[in-house]
Amino acid sequence: MSEVPQDGSASHGFSLELGEDLVQTREWLHEFATSVIRPVAAEWDEREETPWPVLEEAAKIGLYSLDFYAQQYLEGSGLGIPVAFEELFWGDAGIGMALAGSSLAALSVVANGTPEQVGEWCPQMFGGPGEVKLGAFCSSEPDAGSDVGAIRTRAAYDTARDEWVLNGVKTWATNGGIANVHVVVASVDPSLGSRGQASFVVPPGTPGLAMGQKFRKHGIRASHTAEVVLSDVRVPGRCVLGGRERLEERLARVREGGRAGEQGAMRTFEASRPGVAAMAVGIARAAVEYAAEYSRTRVQFGRPIGQNQGVAFMLADMAASVDAARLLTWRAAWMARQGKPFTRAEGSMSKLVAGETAVRVTEQAIQILGGNGYTREFPVERWHRDAKIFTIFEGTSEIQRVIIGRAVTGLDVR
């Protein structure tokens, strides 16, 4: 056991108190969520369209920008992104996803690309005031969702022209088909399964890439989700993330029976899980706050309904669950920033608990509001619709349990 200094300070520097800069950022984002996002959230949910005016307002103040997301990802404690995403999704999950969707594509380039590729492509995923741009990360396919190894989109190298030729169909792509820059996960050697895959940047205006079906969704409706169809899409040889030389070395190593290292799409998902968990925490927190305020002002049988144990106990469990989910999220984000491995699947734990919590507490919020909660005149029904996706995308709850189960048992859980 480590010795505690006489002045009472912790020798290991552990603290749950956010730094001053992060507190100011949180307050700034909360103000934006309160004054810009929430007033138009219901409108864009009904329209089911990308909220370009909100993106433009965010770009004007530097919120929707590569610089902002880079600062948060590089923030020393690792809590920059969780704090930012919680506030934006507290405002509204659909608009929040429209603001955050490009960051997943950028993260895939940062996680798998060279410094030159990061410098070239990431700025083109955000643009700037008056010229807002989007990025899209395309991994899932009609027959390959949780099973990343089943990806059929093929990338073939044309030696004579130093180009990669991409063919296939991607689905469930945030900003798919309307993004300026697409990052596509494709199979270079199908015989190797997921170990034979790589990620490719498709530059703006590349012929052969088209939007397929746009999905009309249960929730997060202000975020554009669609299929991406790739028909003989040719991209320069330098567009394979990490470079062709590194890819060839990895494939050769796998063919000889060696280890491939972590697959690119999975590395992107693992790095993003604490951020996704924070999104769910934001939704859940919004529901708890709204339901608590309603319980103080809604009078039945001569007293506020919050004085009834049935309601107060429900709110107590809701509040405790949200705080627990946030702590798991912060732990995973801190570990990732400090370079500590997720030996017990801490990233998956945060995603699992936060997603399940968001679904449960938004449903409980509807119950507390009663009939009002079931109508679109009150936001809790929208938050409940928005919450459900967090048990599905970027790794279903069941997949998270498989990952956690493997880490806990040390066995090949299937």
Side-chain angles (χ1 to χ4, degrees), residues 24-36 38 86-88 90-91 285 289:
Q24 292 178 355
T25 298
R26 182 177 62 183
E27 293 174 350
W28 175 62
L29 291 169
H30 188 75
E31 171 58 27
F32 184 84
T34 301
S35 62
V36 179
R38 281 206 167 180
E86 180 177 333
E87 293 305 321
L88 293 176
W90 174 90
R285 184 186 117 212
E289 291 177 359

Side-chain angles (χ1 to χ4, degrees), residues 68-80:
F68 171 76
Y69 283 108
Q71 286 183 23
Q72 304 319 308
Y73 274 111
L74 296 174
E75 193 276 330
S77 70
L79 302 185

Side-chain angles (χ1 to χ4, degrees), residues 51-102:
W52 293 107
V54 179
L55 293 178
E56 181 62 34
E57 288 301 311
K60 288 178 181 178
I61 63 172
L63 195 166
Y64 186 78
S65 68
L66 176 62
D67 183 60
F68 171 76
Y69 283 108
Q71 286 183 23
Q72 304 319 308
Y73 274 111
L74 296 174
E75 193 276 330
S77 70
L79 302 185
I81 284 295
V83 166
F85 283 175
E86 180 177 333
E87 293 305 321
L88 293 176
F89 281 69
W90 174 90
D92 179 68
I95 294 176
M97 188 62 69
L99 289 165
S102 296

Side-chain angles (χ1 to χ4, degrees), residues 21-192:
D21 288 347
L22 206 46
V23 169
Q24 292 178 355
T25 298
R26 182 177 62 183
E27 293 174 350
W28 175 62
L29 291 169
H30 188 75
E31 171 58 27
F32 184 84
T34 301
S35 62
V36 179
I37 295 178
R38 281 206 167 180
V40 298
E43 173 190 349
W44 288 103
D45 176 73
E46 291 287 347
R47 293 176 64 166
E48 299 189 52
E49 297 174 356
T50 300
W52 293 107
V54 179
L55 293 178
E56 181 62 34
E57 288 301 311
K60 288 178 181 178
I61 63 172
L63 195 166
Y64 186 78
S65 68
L66 176 62
D67 183 60
F68 171 76
Y69 283 108
Q71 286 183 23
Q72 304 319 308
Y73 274 111
L74 296 174
E75 193 276 330
S77 70
L79 302 185
I81 284 295
V83 166
F85 283 175
E86 180 177 333
E87 293 305 321
L88 293 176
F89 281 69
W90 174 90
D92 179 68
I95 294 176
M97 188 62 69
L99 289 165
S102 296
S103 67
L104 180 60
L107 180 59
S108 68
V109 176
V110 172
N112 303 295
T114 65
E116 293 76 17
Q117 289 171 328
V118 172
E120 179 176 6
W121 301 115
C122 288
Q124 297 187 52
M125 297 180 185
F126 295 92
E131 193 179 7
V132 169
K133 297 181 180 180
L134 302 173
F137 179 66
C138 308
S139 176
S140 294
E141 297 183 1
D143 296 318
S146 298
D147 184 6
V148 176
I151 283 175
R152 295 182 181 178
T153 296
R154 184 71 189 273
Y157 184 64
D158 183 340
T159 306
R161 299 175 59 174
D162 185 26
E163 291 179 336
W164 292 95
V165 184
L166 306 178
N167 282 283
V169 177
K170 293 296 181 178
T171 194
W172 310 122
T174 299
N175 298 331
I178 65 171
N180 300 83
V181 178
H182 291 74
V183 179
V184 177
V185 180
S187 178
V188 178
D189 186 342
S191 69
L192 301 178

